[in-house]
Amino acid sequence: DIKKRDGDFNRYLENYRQTLKNLAQCGVTTVCYNFMPILDWTRTDLNYQVSTGSYSLRFDTTAFAAFELFILKREGSTELYNGSQISKAKIYFNGLSSHQQQVLCRNIIAGLPGGHVGYTLDEFRLILNEYKHISEADLQTNLRYFLEQVIPTAVDVGVNLCIPPDDPPYPILGLPRVVSTQADIERLLSEVDSPNNGITLCTGSFVVRGDNDMVRIARRYANRIHFLHFRSVEVEDNGSFYEAGHLEGDSNIAGVMNALLTSDKLSGDHYIPLRPDHGQKMLDDVSKSTNPGYSCIGRMKGLAELRGLESGLRFASKHIEK
């Protein structure tokens, strides 16, 4: 309702303000939220096997087109694809068994990561219809209104709010996207210009678009980055991508981390919480039931790599200075 600025959104805004106060009393000073309509991150394959034998999350553009065109059969979706894309999607769809169609559908509309309640196809069509008349400009306006309503409370209680980028960072399913580019970040931070209004820098989301320079973004907005989601993706020529190892892929995590460690916008006591996001499933976790992207061993491997990277960059910086 807050995203649509409809229904009981005013009551929920008041609840949100009270929640910020409650969290602050418990010592929580960083709140990550998102403004993606209906779904959080979207993937077509939750068990994509990579060359090492580990399993990763993957977004395949052809598989997604097959879902949208021939399973969901969303009105107007054919206008978004060219003839070649539709043909490839049709071939892909025709090669799916009934079970594989169900798995693809479940992967895409399973709901929020960490949750256990998804949608049926009919429910999903209905909720998509609620956004039929909400444009990108409308969602931008609603996001600004949300921040105008809650940031003053965040300032009063000492809480930093930070929004992650859209994932993937472009429109899907006819839904608007408002945090996909550097221009989106600039608008978001300037419209509600408060130190408590910041971003979650997710290196795996922004980089899917070739026009997002991760190092440049990190340098420019260092003092407004309140949360780091360090993960990397391998981007393919057709826009498909999968979650790579944390120090592999296209995200240039070393460059981003170095930009932050050497930034003149950050004071010595500035603290940015960090997490190794979306680890690959490997070793003993392969046989366990885990939330997609959040198995333990792959993320702990990533954390060890990130800690080693940070230590190495800090050491190199001191060594060079001397």
Side-chain angles (χ1 to χ4, degrees), residues 95-256:
L96 296 177
S97 66
S98 176
H99 173 70
Q100 288 171 327
Q101 290 181 32
Q102 292 173 8
V103 170
L104 176 61
C105 183
R106 184 170 64 247
N107 289 347
I108 293 174
I109 64 173
L112 297 177
H116 300 283
V117 179
Y119 305 102
T120 66
L121 269 178
D122 287 339
E123 289 171 340
F124 193 61
R125 291 187 182 101
L126 286 174
I127 197 168
L128 274 176
N129 195 55
E130 294 179 10
Y131 280 88
K132 191 173 183 179
H133 301 295
I134 297 179
S135 67
E136 180 178 304
D138 293 330
L139 194 61
Q140 289 172 354
T141 298
N142 295 349
L143 174 55
R144 182 178 69 246
Y145 183 80
F146 164 73
L147 290 170
E148 289 171 345
Q149 296 301 307
V150 301
I151 286 296
T153 300
V155 172
D156 289 343
V157 300
V159 168
N160 288 326
L161 268 70
C162 43
I163 187 170
D166 304 315
D167 186 5
Y170 44 76
I172 60 172
L173 300 168
L175 296 168
R177 298 294 222 188
V178 292
V179 192
S180 295
T181 66
Q182 182 172 336
D184 291 333
I185 299 173
E186 190 69 33
R187 184 195 65 255
L188 171 79
L189 300 184
S190 61
E191 287 183 342
V192 183
D193 190 8
S194 165
N196 298 70
N197 175 30
I199 63 170
T200 297
L201 185 64
C202 180
T203 54
S205 295
F206 279 124
V207 79
V208 169
R209 294 181 60 112
D211 54 351
N212 283 328
D213 184 328
M214 295 310 306
V215 174
R216 181 182 179 187
I217 288 174
R219 285 182 178 146
R220 179 168 178 79
Y221 304 106
N223 61 337
R224 301 288 284 275
I225 296 171
H226 298 322
F227 196 9
L228 286 167
H229 285 186
F230 271 158
R231 63 183 181 87
S232 189
V233 296
E234 188 77 31
V235 185
E236 301 168 14
D237 290 341
N238 68 349
S240 301
F241 60 90
Y242 66 90
E243 309 275 358
H246 285 81
L247 299 187
E248 302 165 0
D250 297 313
S251 291
N252 192 9
I253 287 179
V256 172

